[in-house]
């Protein structure tokens, strides 16, 4: 019997099993992570090794360094996730991994590791889209959350507005035409000499500043629900350089607060407009930038005003982790979406 035939047989049995436990691996960027998730909703164990310190020196993620660190850490993360769950590899029902989008060399480490484990332990292999993983972080945070809902996914590589019609069923409503929101935060932070990744520290600094100190443009986009952050980022960087050249005294906190407000306004305006126009009466946030304190407050205020519920991942699940991949994998498994050993990394995978 081939590996795939065996997996399909197991899949049939798993469709009837009450508690399904999936071992998930995430290596799409600069976090090496593994987790064990039960029925897409419960975290049995979750471990994340962050490579940030290695990349901070270079002001951004260096793909070769990321791949090497994943190779060195991935097996240890898997062992740790199993140990914390008090389980053996034989006890898990399936193996999942992120296969895109992300850095090709980084993705390949997780995909290769998952394939080897799945083959050796005779377990089905489930490929997961990283963006879908971010959305599913909410299923781990909010037990009762169910589609349909609108979802704003904002991270270092993506800014998307989705209509989540059902589990695993997405309709894209809008997306960024240039930089992602997280990328814009990181680049704005860099001009304020905040080390990579600057988003979280810029957010903290902004809490003490005046958001009306610096007037920034609100760029126009063709698509009604599309985003554009490149012009805003350039306007901000130019304004800072200008003030420095002219020796104008300014407060970093005021600048950070002004930039953060401009990004959050844009994100919130379009997300709420889409919810209103398309009559989507439930709003969800996802991705690294969903940890932004102003975005969380602003979206809460606007959703309260519109009378719709807002769901956000808990802070520990906003950034990259494997728990969210294990959640997404469960819903894929339920639909019979498994892979064979020809699975490859897809750096430009879309949802
Ligand atoms: O989802 P994520 O961990 O990785 C990607 O899939 O890209 O997102 C990382 C991004 C980085 O750009 C980081 O600066 C940003 O999320 N980020 C934040 C905050 N926390 C993380 N941006 C603004 N405010 C935050 N509090
Ligand atoms: Zn991510």
């Amino acid at each position: 019997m081939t590996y795939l035939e065996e997996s399909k047989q197991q899949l049939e049995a798993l469709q009837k099993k009450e508690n399904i436990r999936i071992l998930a691996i995430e290596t799409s960027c600069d976090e090496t992570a593994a987790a064990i998730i039960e029925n897409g909703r419960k975290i049995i164990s979750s471990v994340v090794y962050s490579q940030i310190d290695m990349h901070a020196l270079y002001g951004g993620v260096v793909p070769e360094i990321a791949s090497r660190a994943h190779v060195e850490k991935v097996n240890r993360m898997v062992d740790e996730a199993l140990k914390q769950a008090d389980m053996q590899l034989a006890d898990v029902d399936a193996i999942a991994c992120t296969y895109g989008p992300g850095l090709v060399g980084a993705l390949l480490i997780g995909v290769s590791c998952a394939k080897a484990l799945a083959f050796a332990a005779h377990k089905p292999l489930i490929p997961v889209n990283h963006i879908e993983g971010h959305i599913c972080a909410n299923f781990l945070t909010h037990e009762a959350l169910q589609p349909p809902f609108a979802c704003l996914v904002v991270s270092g590589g993506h800014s998307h507005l989705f209509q989540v019609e059902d589990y695993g069923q997405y309709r894209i409503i809008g997306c960024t035409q240039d930089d992602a929101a997280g990328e814009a935060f990181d680049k704005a932070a860099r001009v304020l000499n905040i080390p990579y990744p600057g988003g979280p520290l810029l957010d903290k600094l902004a809490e003490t500043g005046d958001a009306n100190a610096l007037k920034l443009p609100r760029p126009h986009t063709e698509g009604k629900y599309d985003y554009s952050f490149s012009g805003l980022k350039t306007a901000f960087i130019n304004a800072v350089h200008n003030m420095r050249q002219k020796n104008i005294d300014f407060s970093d906190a005021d600048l950070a607060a002004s930039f953060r407000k401009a990004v959050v306004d844009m994100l919130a305006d379009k997300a709420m407009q889409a919810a209103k126009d398309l009559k989507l009466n439930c709003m969800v946030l996802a991705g690294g930038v969903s940890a932004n304190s102003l975005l969380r407050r602003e979206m809460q205020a606007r959703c309260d005003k519109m009378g719709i519920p807002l769901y956000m991942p808990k802070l520990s699940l906003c950034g990259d982790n494997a728990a969210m991949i294990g959640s997404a994998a469960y819903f894929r498994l339920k639909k019979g979406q498994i892979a064979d050993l020809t699975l490859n990394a897809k750096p430009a995978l879309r949802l």
Side-chain angles (χ1 to χ4, degrees):
M1 202 188 313
T2 66
Y3 166 77
L4 189 61
E5 283 163 357
E6 194 182 356
S7 290
K8 282 183 180 160
Q9 261 187 13
Q10 288 167 333
L11 187 63
E12 253 171 61
L14 286 178
Q15 300 291 7
K16 293 174 214 130
K17 193 165 185 262
E18 195 180 339
N19 286 321
I20 296 178
R21 290 172 166 195
I22 296 175
L23 167 64
I25 299 168
E26 155 66 40
T27 63
S28 68
C29 190
D30 59 349
E31 260 90 26
T32 318
I36 294 170
I37 301 303
E38 188 175 279
N39 295 341
R41 294 277 180 177
K42 188 174 158 200
I43 301 175
I44 308 292
S45 69
S46 176
V47 289
V48 180
Y49 170 76
S50 169
Q51 307 173 0
I52 279 178
D53 292 349
M54 293 181 198
H55 302 290
L57 194 63
Y58 305 94
V61 177
V62 183
E64 288 79 4
I65 294 177
S67 307
R68 180 156 289 273
H70 285 310
V71 171
E72 284 169 6
K73 289 289 185 306
V74 71
N75 288 327
R76 246 184 274 175
M77 289 297 110
V78 168
D79 288 348
E80 191 56 33
L82 286 167
K83 194 173 147 204
Q84 284 189 15
D86 201 14
M87 287 169 74
Q88 309 280 327
L89 187 58
D91 302 330
V92 303
D93 295 300
I95 315 280
C97 64
T98 304
Y99 75 117
L103 300 168
V104 66
L107 288 164
L108 268 173
I109 311 301
V111 169
S112 307
C113 178
K115 287 203 290 192
L117 292 173
F119 180 64
H122 301 270
K123 305 286 176 188
L125 175 67
I126 312 165
V128 173
N129 181 309
H130 181 79
I131 303 173
E132 180 173 29
H134 274 302
I135 297 171
C136 292
N138 283 285
F139 296 135
L140 296 168
T141 308
H142 309 285
E143 225 170 277
L145 175 65
Q146 283 184 356
F149 51 76
C151 188
L152 174 65
V153 186
V154 271
S155 72
H158 317 278
S159 299
H160 285 100
L161 205 47
F162 289 104
Q163 186 171 349
V164 180
E165 290 161 336
D166 201 346
Y167 295 105
Q169 218 171 295
Y170 309 93
R171 198 167 79 79
I172 189 156
I173 305 171
C175 71
T176 183
Q177 295 175 342
D178 39 59
D179 293 0
E183 194 182 348
F185 270 122
D186 294 341
K187 288 183 179 155
R190 195 191 300 184
V191 80
L192 298 179
N193 300 317
I194 297 172
Y196 176 85
L201 286 175
L202 185 146
D203 184 20
K204 205 165 161 209
L205 182 63
E207 289 290 289
T208 61
D210 171 11
N212 299 312
L214 178 69
K215 288 261 161 303
L216 287 165
R218 302 289 191 268
H220 172 79
T221 55
E222 287 276 300
K224 195 172 177 192
Y225 312 117
D226 284 340
Y227 293 111
S228 168
F229 298 107
S230 172
L232 173 64
K233 173 198 72 186
T234 307
F236 180 76
I237 293 171
N238 286 344
V240 175
H241 284 158
N242 228 318
M243 286 191 277
R244 281 198 184 128
Q245 274 163 8
K246 292 180 183 159
N247 277 326
I248 299 172
D249 210 18
F250 58 81
S251 134
D252 282 359
D254 287 353
L255 294 179
S258 304
F259 184 78
R260 181 179 70 163
K261 175 92 171 62
V263 173
V264 167
D265 273 353
M266 257 200 283
L267 290 172
D269 283 351
K270 300 222 168 171
M272 297 314 293
Q273 190 64 49
K276 203 170 138 205
D277 294 348
L278 304 170
K279 301 191 173 41
L280 303 169
N281 52 14
C282 179
M283 180 63 73
V284 172
L285 300 185
V289 181
S290 64
N292 187 272
S293 35
L294 182 66
L295 181 64
R296 293 172 89 94
R297 287 199 297 269
E298 188 67 33
M299 287 298 289
Q300 191 65 66
R302 295 196 193 202
C303 286
D304 286 351
K305 196 167 162 210
M306 196 174 148
I308 64 169
L310 172 70
Y311 296 91
M312 303 179 268
K314 64 174 165 186
L315 290 177
S316 60
L317 294 175
C318 288
D320 289 349
N321 62 82
M324 66 188 199
I325 304 303
S327 171
Y330 172 79
F331 300 107
R332 295 251 152 219
L333 182 81
K334 281 280 160 188
K335 292 189 168 184
Q337 295 172 353
I338 55 171
D340 66 14
L341 298 173
T342 60
L343 180 69
N344 205 350
K346 290 214 171 127
L349 182 69
R350 297 168 79 120
L351 190 60

XYZ file of all heavy atoms in Angstrom, residues 130 134 155 320 324, ligand 2:
43
model
N -0.470 29.743 5.660
C -0.097 30.533 6.840
C -1.155 31.592 7.200
O -1.446 31.826 8.382
C 1.255 31.200 6.565
C 1.779 32.017 7.684
N 2.409 31.465 8.783
C 1.769 33.353 7.905
C 2.761 32.439 9.610
N 2.386 33.586 9.109
N -3.387 32.248 10.672
C -3.611 33.462 11.472
C -5.095 33.634 11.794
O -5.458 33.988 12.914
C -3.095 34.693 10.720
C -1.629 34.952 10.954
N -1.104 35.152 12.205
C -0.583 35.049 10.095
C 0.203 35.356 12.121
N 0.548 35.297 10.848
N -0.353 41.553 8.994
C 0.894 41.011 9.536
C 2.064 41.685 8.851
O 1.902 42.694 8.151
C 0.933 39.502 9.316
O 1.150 39.233 7.954
N 3.468 34.813 14.787
C 3.574 33.466 14.228
C 3.719 32.398 15.315
O 4.484 32.561 16.248
C 4.777 33.399 13.279
C 4.512 34.193 12.009
O 3.349 34.588 11.792
O 5.464 34.401 11.237
N -1.873 27.920 15.756
C -2.860 28.368 14.757
C -2.835 27.456 13.522
O -3.873 27.248 12.883
C -2.593 29.834 14.373
C -1.277 30.067 13.649
S -0.935 31.835 13.449
C 0.297 31.787 12.125
Zn 2.453 35.397 10.174
